[in-house]
Amino acid sequence: RAVPTACINASHSMKKILDPARGVEKDQQPHKCVKTVLVVDDDALNRLILVSLFKARKILCDEARSGDEAIQAILGRAMKWKCKCRNYDLIVMDYEMPKMTGPECCKLLTAYYDEGKVDSQKIVGHTAYSSEEDLKEFMSYGILDILPKPATEDSISNIFAKWL
């Protein structure tokens, strides 16, 4: 069965696509796009928990261990990423990471957006920091919401309902 290179809008009833196996056009049933999330955290257990919770909702996830890996994923400079589109539906970003922190990564993404290098990104902060001052600082870097650590089924459901 041929797979279209771009998502077919669910409002279309049918679409003709080329079946490469037979070299002919055939009718393709519409399908919905898969949601994609980039999980950015230096802690493997945190990434595992988040990816498991998102996968339970049929969301495709990429993982990055630091802000600089997240930038590489978003710019599409590495081949290991599962999500072939570079415009993630959501990025879940840890605050404190080696090499490049969450806030530093958000600043760089904002600069890249201003330069036209990346599309606008929806970023949710993932942090154990809970003071009002820490949360305000994190959100000042363009974070839309905070997903507290540790992530739970309820907290992911809340983020899912708001941002996906």
Side-chain angles (χ1 to χ4, degrees):
R1 182 172 118 143
V3 177
T5 57
C7 294
I8 300 169
N9 188 325
S11 67
H12 293 98
S13 58
M14 297 292 271
K15 181 176 176 104
K16 294 279 189 187
I17 63 164
L18 181 64
D19 182 356
R22 292 192 256 158
V24 296
E25 280 192 340
K26 68 177 192 173
D27 288 321
Q28 172 68 42
Q29 294 294 331
H31 72 283
K32 292 187 178 181
C33 296
V34 174
K35 297 288 186 183
T36 57
V37 172
L38 176 61
V39 175
V40 187
D41 199 310
D42 60 314
D43 186 284
L45 182 58
N46 286 333
R47 287 193 315 273
L48 177 68
I49 291 168
L50 286 168
V51 168
S52 297
L53 290 169
F54 280 117
K55 280 186 177 180
R57 288 171 169 72
K58 308 289 188 226
I59 296 171
L60 187 60
C61 293
D62 276 341
E63 300 175 46
R65 296 175 300 218
S66 64
D68 58 331
E69 276 191 19
I71 296 294
Q72 295 302 311
I74 293 162
L75 294 178
R77 292 192 179 148
M79 299 304 291
K80 70 178 185 175
W81 313 109
K82 296 175 198 161
C83 307
K84 299 304 177 202
C85 63
R86 298 283 58 98
N87 192 15
Y88 293 96
D89 294 298
L90 185 68
I91 299 170
V92 179
M93 180 82 63
D94 186 21
Y95 186 96
E96 198 64 44
M97 296 179 287
K99 297 182 184 176
M100 183 186 294
T101 67
E104 291 169 339
C105 183
C106 292
K107 278 187 197 177
L108 189 54
L109 284 173
T110 299
Y112 283 165
Y113 173 74
D114 291 343
E115 295 169 12
K117 292 182 181 178
V118 299
D119 292 332
S120 177
Q121 303 289 324
K122 289 192 289 187
I123 305 172
V124 171
H126 186 50
T127 183
Y129 296 127
S130 59
S131 78
E132 188 75 24
E133 187 176 303
D134 288 334
L135 297 178
K136 279 184 182 177
E137 180 191 358
F138 201 9
M139 293 185 81
S140 74
Y141 294 104
I143 302 297
L144 299 173
D145 205 345
I146 298 292
L147 176 64
K149 287 185 181 181
T152 64
E153 185 72 32
D154 288 341
S155 62
I156 289 290
S157 291
N158 186 30
I159 293 299
F160 187 85
K162 280 180 160 177
W163 305 112
L164 288 174

Short mmCIF file of all heavy atoms in Angstrom, two decimals, residues 18-59:
data_model
loop_
_atom_site.label_atom_id
_atom_site.label_comp_id
_atom_site.label_asym_id
_atom_site.label_seq_id
_atom_site.Cartn_x
_atom_site.Cartn_y
_atom_site.Cartn_z
N LEU A 18 -0.02 8.04 -6.56
CA LEU A 18 0.72 7.13 -7.41
C LEU A 18 1.14 5.92 -6.59
O LEU A 18 1.73 6.05 -5.52
CB LEU A 18 1.96 7.83 -7.98
CG LEU A 18 2.82 6.99 -8.92
CD1 LEU A 18 2.01 6.63 -10.17
CD2 LEU A 18 4.05 7.76 -9.32
N ASP A 19 0.79 4.73 -7.07
CA ASP A 19 1.23 3.50 -6.43
C ASP A 19 2.54 3.09 -7.09
O ASP A 19 2.54 2.61 -8.22
CB ASP A 19 0.17 2.41 -6.60
CG ASP A 19 0.54 1.11 -5.92
OD1 ASP A 19 1.65 1.00 -5.38
OD2 ASP A 19 -0.29 0.20 -5.94
N PRO A 20 3.69 3.31 -6.41
CA PRO A 20 4.97 3.05 -7.05
C PRO A 20 5.17 1.58 -7.42
O PRO A 20 5.87 1.27 -8.37
CB PRO A 20 6.00 3.48 -6.01
CG PRO A 20 5.27 3.86 -4.80
CD PRO A 20 3.82 3.81 -5.08
N ALA A 21 4.53 0.66 -6.72
CA ALA A 21 4.69 -0.75 -7.01
C ALA A 21 4.10 -1.11 -8.38
O ALA A 21 4.62 -1.96 -9.09
CB ALA A 21 4.04 -1.60 -5.92
N ARG A 22 3.02 -0.43 -8.74
CA ARG A 22 2.35 -0.74 -10.01
C ARG A 22 2.47 0.39 -11.03
O ARG A 22 2.10 0.20 -12.17
CB ARG A 22 0.88 -1.04 -9.75
CG ARG A 22 0.69 -2.33 -8.98
CD ARG A 22 -0.74 -2.73 -9.02
NE ARG A 22 -1.33 -2.44 -7.72
CZ ARG A 22 -2.61 -2.27 -7.52
NH1 ARG A 22 -3.45 -2.33 -8.51
NH2 ARG A 22 -3.07 -2.04 -6.31
N GLY A 23 2.96 1.53 -10.61
CA GLY A 23 3.09 2.66 -11.52
C GLY A 23 1.77 3.23 -11.99
O GLY A 23 1.68 3.77 -13.07
N VAL A 24 0.72 3.06 -11.19
CA VAL A 24 -0.60 3.56 -11.57
C VAL A 24 -1.19 4.37 -10.43
O VAL A 24 -0.78 4.23 -9.28
CB VAL A 24 -1.56 2.41 -11.92
CG1 VAL A 24 -1.07 1.66 -13.13
CG2 VAL A 24 -1.76 1.47 -10.75
N GLU A 25 -2.17 5.19 -10.77
CA GLU A 25 -2.88 5.92 -9.73
C GLU A 25 -3.94 5.03 -9.12
O GLU A 25 -4.52 4.18 -9.80
CB GLU A 25 -3.56 7.17 -10.31
CG GLU A 25 -2.62 8.31 -10.50
CD GLU A 25 -3.36 9.60 -10.80
OE1 GLU A 25 -4.52 9.55 -11.23
OE2 GLU A 25 -2.77 10.64 -10.58
N LYS A 26 -4.17 5.19 -7.83
CA LYS A 26 -5.24 4.46 -7.16
C LYS A 26 -5.84 5.38 -6.10
O LYS A 26 -5.22 6.37 -5.71
CB LYS A 26 -4.75 3.16 -6.55
CG LYS A 26 -3.80 3.34 -5.39
CD LYS A 26 -3.43 1.98 -4.82
CE LYS A 26 -2.72 2.16 -3.50
NZ LYS A 26 -2.48 0.93 -2.83
N ASP A 27 -7.03 5.04 -5.63
CA ASP A 27 -7.67 5.83 -4.59
C ASP A 27 -7.01 5.56 -3.25
O ASP A 27 -6.70 4.42 -2.92
CB ASP A 27 -9.16 5.51 -4.51
CG ASP A 27 -9.91 6.06 -5.70
OD1 ASP A 27 -9.59 7.16 -6.15
OD2 ASP A 27 -10.81 5.36 -6.18
N GLN A 28 -6.80 6.61 -2.50
CA GLN A 28 -6.19 6.51 -1.16
C GLN A 28 -7.20 7.00 -0.15
O GLN A 28 -7.71 8.10 -0.28
CB GLN A 28 -4.92 7.36 -1.09
CG GLN A 28 -4.32 7.49 0.29
CD GLN A 28 -3.76 6.19 0.81
OE1 GLN A 28 -3.12 5.47 0.10
NE2 GLN A 28 -4.04 5.89 2.06
N GLN A 29 -7.49 6.20 0.86
CA GLN A 29 -8.38 6.63 1.94
C GLN A 29 -7.68 7.71 2.74
O GLN A 29 -6.47 7.66 2.96
CB GLN A 29 -8.72 5.45 2.86
CG GLN A 29 -9.55 4.38 2.18
CD GLN A 29 -10.92 4.88 1.81
OE1 GLN A 29 -11.46 5.75 2.47
NE2 GLN A 29 -11.49 4.33 0.75
N PRO A 30 -8.41 8.71 3.19
CA PRO A 30 -7.79 9.76 4.00
C PRO A 30 -7.36 9.20 5.35
O PRO A 30 -7.90 8.22 5.83
CB PRO A 30 -8.90 10.79 4.17
CG PRO A 30 -10.15 10.05 3.94
CD PRO A 30 -9.83 8.93 2.99
N HIS A 31 -6.37 9.83 5.94
CA HIS A 31 -5.92 9.47 7.28
C HIS A 31 -5.56 10.74 8.03
O HIS A 31 -5.38 11.79 7.44
CB HIS A 31 -4.73 8.52 7.23
CG HIS A 31 -3.46 9.18 6.78
ND1 HIS A 31 -3.21 9.48 5.46
CD2 HIS A 31 -2.40 9.62 7.48
CE1 HIS A 31 -2.04 10.06 5.36
NE2 HIS A 31 -1.52 10.17 6.55
N LYS A 32 -5.47 10.62 9.32
CA LYS A 32 -5.10 11.77 10.13
C LYS A 32 -3.59 11.77 10.33
O LYS A 32 -2.97 10.73 10.39
CB LYS A 32 -5.80 11.72 11.49
CG LYS A 32 -7.29 11.93 11.37
CD LYS A 32 -7.91 12.04 12.73
CE LYS A 32 -9.40 12.31 12.58
NZ LYS A 32 -10.06 12.44 13.85
N CYS A 33 -3.03 12.95 10.44
CA CYS A 33 -1.61 13.08 10.69
C CYS A 33 -1.28 12.56 12.10
O CYS A 33 -2.07 12.72 13.02
CB CYS A 33 -1.18 14.54 10.61
SG CYS A 33 -1.40 15.25 8.99
N VAL A 34 -0.12 11.99 12.23
CA VAL A 34 0.36 11.55 13.53
C VAL A 34 0.94 12.77 14.24
O VAL A 34 1.68 13.55 13.65
CB VAL A 34 1.45 10.47 13.36
CG1 VAL A 34 2.08 10.11 14.69
CG2 VAL A 34 0.87 9.25 12.69
N LYS A 35 0.62 12.94 15.51
CA LYS A 35 1.20 14.02 16.30
C LYS A 35 2.64 13.66 16.64
O LYS A 35 2.96 12.49 16.86
CB LYS A 35 0.41 14.25 17.58
CG LYS A 35 -1.01 14.69 17.36
CD LYS A 35 -1.07 16.10 16.87
CE LYS A 35 -2.51 16.57 16.79
NZ LYS A 35 -2.60 17.90 16.25
N THR A 36 3.51 14.67 16.69
CA THR A 36 4.92 14.44 17.00
C THR A 36 5.35 15.33 18.16
O THR A 36 4.96 16.49 18.24
CB THR A 36 5.80 14.75 15.77
OG1 THR A 36 5.57 16.09 15.36
CG2 THR A 36 5.48 13.79 14.62
N VAL A 37 6.16 14.73 19.04
CA VAL A 37 6.67 15.44 20.21
C VAL A 37 8.17 15.21 20.30
O VAL A 37 8.65 14.09 20.09
CB VAL A 37 5.98 14.94 21.51
CG1 VAL A 37 6.63 15.53 22.75
CG2 VAL A 37 4.50 15.28 21.48
N LEU A 38 8.89 16.27 20.63
CA LEU A 38 10.31 16.15 20.93
C LEU A 38 10.46 16.27 22.44
O LEU A 38 10.08 17.27 23.03
CB LEU A 38 11.11 17.27 20.24
CG LEU A 38 12.61 17.32 20.55
CD1 LEU A 38 13.31 16.03 20.12
CD2 LEU A 38 13.25 18.53 19.87
N VAL A 39 10.99 15.21 23.07
CA VAL A 39 11.22 15.18 24.51
C VAL A 39 12.69 15.49 24.75
O VAL A 39 13.57 14.76 24.28
CB VAL A 39 10.85 13.79 25.10
CG1 VAL A 39 11.21 13.72 26.57
CG2 VAL A 39 9.38 13.49 24.88
N VAL A 40 12.96 16.58 25.48
CA VAL A 40 14.33 17.03 25.71
C VAL A 40 14.61 16.98 27.21
O VAL A 40 14.07 17.77 27.98
CB VAL A 40 14.55 18.47 25.18
CG1 VAL A 40 16.02 18.86 25.28
CG2 VAL A 40 14.02 18.62 23.76
N ASP A 41 15.47 16.04 27.62
CA ASP A 41 15.82 15.89 29.03
C ASP A 41 17.12 15.11 29.11
O ASP A 41 17.29 14.12 28.38
CB ASP A 41 14.70 15.16 29.78
CG ASP A 41 14.78 15.37 31.29
OD1 ASP A 41 15.87 15.17 31.86
OD2 ASP A 41 13.75 15.72 31.89
N ASP A 42 18.02 15.52 29.98
CA ASP A 42 19.29 14.80 30.13
C ASP A 42 19.14 13.52 30.93
O ASP A 42 19.99 12.64 30.87
CB ASP A 42 20.36 15.70 30.76
CG ASP A 42 19.97 16.19 32.14
OD1 ASP A 42 18.82 16.62 32.31
OD2 ASP A 42 20.82 16.14 33.05
N ASP A 43 18.06 13.35 31.66
CA ASP A 43 17.84 12.17 32.48
C ASP A 43 17.07 11.11 31.69
O ASP A 43 15.93 11.34 31.27
CB ASP A 43 17.05 12.56 33.74
CG ASP A 43 16.91 11.42 34.71
OD1 ASP A 43 16.08 10.53 34.44
OD2 ASP A 43 17.62 11.42 35.73
N ALA A 44 17.70 9.94 31.51
CA ALA A 44 17.10 8.88 30.71
C ALA A 44 15.77 8.40 31.28
O ALA A 44 14.85 8.08 30.52
CB ALA A 44 18.07 7.71 30.58
N LEU A 45 15.65 8.34 32.60
CA LEU A 45 14.40 7.89 33.21
C LEU A 45 13.27 8.88 32.93
O LEU A 45 12.15 8.47 32.61
CB LEU A 45 14.58 7.69 34.72
CG LEU A 45 13.35 7.17 35.47
CD1 LEU A 45 12.87 5.84 34.90
CD2 LEU A 45 13.65 7.05 36.95
N ASN A 46 13.54 10.17 33.03
CA ASN A 46 12.52 11.17 32.71
C ASN A 46 12.07 11.05 31.26
O ASN A 46 10.88 11.14 30.95
CB ASN A 46 13.03 12.58 32.98
CG ASN A 46 13.10 12.91 34.44
OD1 ASN A 46 12.36 12.37 35.25
ND2 ASN A 46 14.00 13.80 34.80
N ARG A 47 13.04 10.86 30.34
CA ARG A 47 12.68 10.68 28.93
C ARG A 47 11.83 9.44 28.74
O ARG A 47 10.83 9.47 28.03
CB ARG A 47 13.94 10.60 28.05
CG ARG A 47 14.66 11.91 27.87
CD ARG A 47 15.69 11.87 26.75
NE ARG A 47 16.54 10.69 26.73
CZ ARG A 47 17.68 10.56 27.41
NH1 ARG A 47 18.12 11.54 28.17
NH2 ARG A 47 18.39 9.45 27.31
N LEU A 48 12.21 8.35 29.39
CA LEU A 48 11.47 7.10 29.28
C LEU A 48 10.02 7.26 29.75
O LEU A 48 9.08 6.82 29.09
CB LEU A 48 12.16 5.99 30.07
CG LEU A 48 11.44 4.64 30.11
CD1 LEU A 48 11.44 4.00 28.73
CD2 LEU A 48 12.11 3.72 31.12
N ILE A 49 9.84 7.92 30.88
CA ILE A 49 8.49 8.14 31.42
C ILE A 49 7.66 8.98 30.45
O ILE A 49 6.53 8.62 30.12
CB ILE A 49 8.56 8.81 32.81
CG1 ILE A 49 9.14 7.84 33.84
CG2 ILE A 49 7.18 9.32 33.25
CD1 ILE A 49 9.52 8.49 35.16
N LEU A 50 8.24 10.09 29.99
CA LEU A 50 7.49 10.96 29.08
C LEU A 50 7.15 10.26 27.77
O LEU A 50 6.00 10.32 27.30
CB LEU A 50 8.29 12.23 28.79
CG LEU A 50 8.35 13.24 29.93
CD1 LEU A 50 9.40 14.31 29.65
CD2 LEU A 50 6.99 13.87 30.14
N VAL A 51 8.13 9.60 27.19
CA VAL A 51 7.89 8.91 25.91
C VAL A 51 6.82 7.84 26.08
O VAL A 51 5.93 7.71 25.25
CB VAL A 51 9.21 8.33 25.35
CG1 VAL A 51 8.94 7.37 24.20
CG2 VAL A 51 10.13 9.45 24.89
N SER A 52 6.88 7.09 27.17
CA SER A 52 5.87 6.05 27.43
C SER A 52 4.47 6.65 27.55
O SER A 52 3.50 6.11 26.99
CB SER A 52 6.20 5.29 28.71
OG SER A 52 7.42 4.62 28.59
N LEU A 53 4.36 7.77 28.26
CA LEU A 53 3.05 8.41 28.43
C LEU A 53 2.52 8.97 27.11
O LEU A 53 1.32 8.88 26.82
CB LEU A 53 3.14 9.51 29.49
CG LEU A 53 3.33 9.02 30.92
CD1 LEU A 53 3.67 10.17 31.86
CD2 LEU A 53 2.09 8.29 31.43
N PHE A 54 3.40 9.53 26.28
CA PHE A 54 2.96 10.05 24.98
C PHE A 54 2.63 8.90 24.02
O PHE A 54 1.65 8.96 23.28
CB PHE A 54 4.00 10.98 24.37
CG PHE A 54 3.96 12.37 24.94
CD1 PHE A 54 5.04 12.88 25.63
CD2 PHE A 54 2.85 13.18 24.79
CE1 PHE A 54 5.01 14.17 26.18
CE2 PHE A 54 2.80 14.47 25.31
CZ PHE A 54 3.89 14.95 26.00
N LYS A 55 3.47 7.86 24.01
CA LYS A 55 3.21 6.73 23.11
C LYS A 55 1.89 6.06 23.42
O LYS A 55 1.23 5.54 22.52
CB LYS A 55 4.36 5.72 23.19
CG LYS A 55 5.56 6.12 22.38
CD LYS A 55 6.60 5.02 22.37
CE LYS A 55 7.77 5.40 21.49
NZ LYS A 55 8.78 4.35 21.48
N ALA A 56 1.49 6.05 24.68
CA ALA A 56 0.19 5.47 25.05
C ALA A 56 -0.95 6.22 24.36
O ALA A 56 -2.05 5.68 24.21
CB ALA A 56 0.01 5.50 26.57
N ARG A 57 -0.68 7.45 23.93
CA ARG A 57 -1.68 8.26 23.21
C ARG A 57 -1.42 8.27 21.71
O ARG A 57 -1.91 9.12 21.00
CB ARG A 57 -1.66 9.69 23.76
CG ARG A 57 -2.25 9.78 25.14
CD ARG A 57 -2.01 11.15 25.73
NE ARG A 57 -2.79 11.33 26.94
CZ ARG A 57 -2.53 10.73 28.09
NH1 ARG A 57 -1.50 9.92 28.20
NH2 ARG A 57 -3.28 10.92 29.15
N LYS A 58 -0.59 7.33 21.26
CA LYS A 58 -0.27 7.18 19.83
C LYS A 58 0.45 8.41 19.27
O LYS A 58 0.22 8.81 18.12
CB LYS A 58 -1.52 6.88 19.00
CG LYS A 58 -2.35 5.74 19.52
CD LYS A 58 -1.65 4.43 19.31
CE LYS A 58 -2.58 3.28 19.68
NZ LYS A 58 -1.97 2.28 20.48
N ILE A 59 1.31 9.01 20.07
CA ILE A 59 2.09 10.16 19.65
C ILE A 59 3.52 9.71 19.39
O ILE A 59 4.11 9.03 20.22
CB ILE A 59 2.05 11.27 20.72
CG1 ILE A 59 0.62 11.77 20.87
CG2 ILE A 59 3.00 12.39 20.37
CD1 ILE A 59 0.41 12.70 22.02
#
